[in-house]
């Protein structure tokens, strides 16, 4: 990224009856992704890619809630996004802000697709 200027893309769609906003911002050393159906940031999750302890080539993803509700589905969604985002961005860490009304698998899959359609990495 030339001169350290962040790149941002945003999009929106109706996902399972709920208006959903996506904002993806690429900084020089990390990515920030917002997925919201409430028009607010919600829970902040840090996703750190790494290498497995056994030395295999499979990457690992550590998720940590920085602010908000520490729910299992939050970690599942963040890790799943990590598996899709990190290999494409040089394994940079990213922060996810997520506020969803519906946590069903169909909604999580649709919002992942929406994030990938608005990628900046």
């Amino acid at each position: 990224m030339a001169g350290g200027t962040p790149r941002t893309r945003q999009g929106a769609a109706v996902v399972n009856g709920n208006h959903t906003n996506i904002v993806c911002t690429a900084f020089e050393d990390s990515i920030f992704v917002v997925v919201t159906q409430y028009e607010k940031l919600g829970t902040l999750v840090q996703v750190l890619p790494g290498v497995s302890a056994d030395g295999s080539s499979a990457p690992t993803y550590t998720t940590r809630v920085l602010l908000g509700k520490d729910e299992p589905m939050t970690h599942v969604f963040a890790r799943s996004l990590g598996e899709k985002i990190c290999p494409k961005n040089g394994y940079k860490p990213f922060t996810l802000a997520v506020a969803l009304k519906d946590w069903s698998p169909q909604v999580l899959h649709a919002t992942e697709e929406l994030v990938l359609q608005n990628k900046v990495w």
Side-chain angles (χ1 to χ4, degrees):
M1 165 180 344
T5 305
R7 292 186 316 263
T8 299
R9 283 189 66 186
Q10 60 186 26
V14 176
V15 178
N16 202 28
N18 293 303
H19 180 79
T20 306
N21 290 308
I22 305 292
V23 180
C24 298
T25 304
F27 297 93
E28 196 167 322
D29 60 350
S30 65
I31 305 291
F32 182 54
V33 176
V34 178
V35 178
T36 185
Q37 294 176 331
Y38 285 102
E39 303 291 326
K40 57 178 84 173
L41 294 178
T43 301
L44 292 175
V45 185
Q46 182 180 47
V47 180
L48 300 170
V51 294
S52 63
D54 65 5
S56 71
S57 62
T60 62
Y61 300 94
T62 302
T63 59
R64 183 171 63 128
V65 171
L66 302 175
L67 181 70
K69 294 182 181 180
D70 193 348
E71 301 284 337
M73 285 306 293
T74 305
H75 292 275
V76 169
F77 184 54
R79 184 180 178 353
S80 181
L81 271 177
E83 291 172 350
K84 292 168 180 66
I85 292 173
C86 292
K88 308 275 191 224
N89 77 7
Y91 291 95
K92 293 178 188 172
F94 77 95
T95 302
L96 169 66
V98 60
L100 295 174
K101 294 177 183 178
D102 181 353
W103 287 87
S104 68
Q106 298 85 357
V107 168
L108 297 181
H109 178 71
T111 54
E112 283 179 353
E113 291 302 315
L114 197 54
V115 167
L116 295 176
Q117 289 170 13
N118 291 282
K119 65 184 177 186
V120 290
W121 47 90

